[in-house]
Amino acid sequence: MLPAYIYFLGIGGIGMSALARWFNANGTKVVGYDKTPTDLTAQLQEEGIEIIFDDAVEALPKELLTLPKNDVLVVFTPAIPKIHRGMNFLREEGFTIKKRAEVLGIITSTSFTIGIAGTHGKTTTSSMLSHLLEANNRNCSAFLGGISTNYGTNMLLGDSKKDDHIVVVEADEFDRSFLQLSPNIIGVTSCEADHLDIYGDEEAVFSSFQEFINKLPENGKLYLENSISKLRGQNPSNSKKYGINKGDIYAENLRVENAKFYFDANFGDGRTILNIGLQMPGFHNVENALLAMSIALEVGLSEIEIKQAIESYKGVKRRFEKWVETKDKVYVDDYAHHPTEITTFIKSLKALYPKDKITVIFQPHLYSRTADFADEFGESLSLADEVWLLPLYPAREEFVEGVNSEMLLGKITHDNKRIVLDDDLINQVKRLDNRVVATVGAGNIDRFIKEIASIYS
């Protein structure tokens, strides 16, 4: 039974806002707190959700404090600091307080659920799969970790009361959140060391992913990217691997034509889809598409339905997002914040524009990640012809002496590199004379996107 009133602490987060939209659409009174106004909080307010930007106890909604506590649920994200005054007051007063992942887990326990996990690729793949279902009029609800370009939202809403309802959820490994879910189908796009501030070491990451896979029922289906060797399904007959030119399911005849990726998909059971043209470029997105299409086949879509829908998929905001593409100028933005993601992004960019010099503007994200993968960041960034490093974005972490962009600069193996301060970035971009430039990172580098796009247009 749904609560009558729900209060979201951190409602402006990409995952929290999707959950807030779901409850709002299902008749629950939704109010939220966030630290600062954003485009996303503005959209929620336009949808009728009240948002407070003050963590003081006095700023808490009066209705929240006067309703019977049994009618109220408080949901928080791990990004909320432990010193948050409003949350501490509500906890002391005895309100029911749950993490976002716990609440999402309750929703998935009542519907057929597809969980897309992976240290990279889960947002794009879950949005791809959601689009395949939505474009073919399937009863689908989707909780996404990014804004779908096709729909302009991070939430698709189906009818959860019907038996044919399918939930697609981005299964987030951060804080082991995905262990709260109840999946019927799991796709794992990748599994590498990340979030070591949470896990400690790579082995703990793999153990957590294996624990998630073990949540599948006996008849559940598992799809693993071909290079993942440490994870196993409990039922081998229901497990498949996928990849480019290898795996049970594979892409072949991959080529780049007119800055677009084309390939054939072979599903290993006699079914194929030929000459697929992706609007969303990148070698990694060919693999993401393989996974999304395989699961779509599993839940009953036809090859024709899948081909038409996958070719109309436009991507996710900040995932290989082309802002400018003309004869003289190309500007692409990407959320990549891990060395593997950066490597794949730059290699894909070079495949699309093999004759052009490529400048990558990167903002490191988190002290812990930067320190843990400093050598790998240097190796991946060295693939670009020119690298500009913005100051490190710490996000939730406290200052760490000696971990900074200057440290990464020394790891880049060529000399065409420099530190650029935030307040000088736009002036430096105005002086660029090469055709291809990309902004990369998970911090607040996105605040420069529109101005850079305007310069490059």
Side-chain angles (χ1 to χ4, degrees), residues 362 364 370-371 373-375 377-378 381 389 404-412 417:
F362 175 60
T370 303
F373 303 110
D375 291 338
F377 275 120
L381 289 166
L389 295 180
N404 49 40
S405 294
E406 287 77 6
M407 178 187 75
L408 286 188
L409 194 71
K411 304 285 186 180
I412 297 170
K417 57 186 178 180

Side-chain angles (χ1 to χ4, degrees), residues 352-418:
L352 288 174
Y353 310 105
K355 297 179 180 179
D356 294 300
K357 175 185 174 183
I358 293 173
T359 297
V360 168
I361 305 167
F362 175 60
Q363 181 189 51
H365 182 254
L366 298 178
Y367 291 108
S368 57
R369 181 181 286 125
T370 303
D372 289 334
F373 303 110
D375 291 338
E376 292 86 349
F377 275 120
E379 186 176 345
S380 63
L381 289 166
S382 296
L383 294 172
D385 301 302
E386 181 178 28
V387 181
W388 298 1
L389 295 180
L390 293 178
L392 184 148
Y393 184 80
R396 60 186 178 271
E397 296 184 337
E398 297 296 325
F399 175 76
V400 177
E401 183 71 38
V403 179
N404 49 40
S405 294
E406 287 77 6
M407 178 187 75
L408 286 188
L409 194 71
K411 304 285 186 180
I412 297 170
T413 57
H414 58 68
D415 294 330
N416 206 1
K417 57 186 178 180
R418 56 177 141 153

Side-chain angles (χ1 to χ4, degrees), residues 95-111:
F95 283 87
T96 300
I97 300 179
K98 293 182 181 293
K99 287 184 179 181
R100 169 188 172 269
E102 294 178 83
V103 179
L104 190 54
I106 294 169
I107 294 172
T108 65
S109 68
T110 60
S111 292

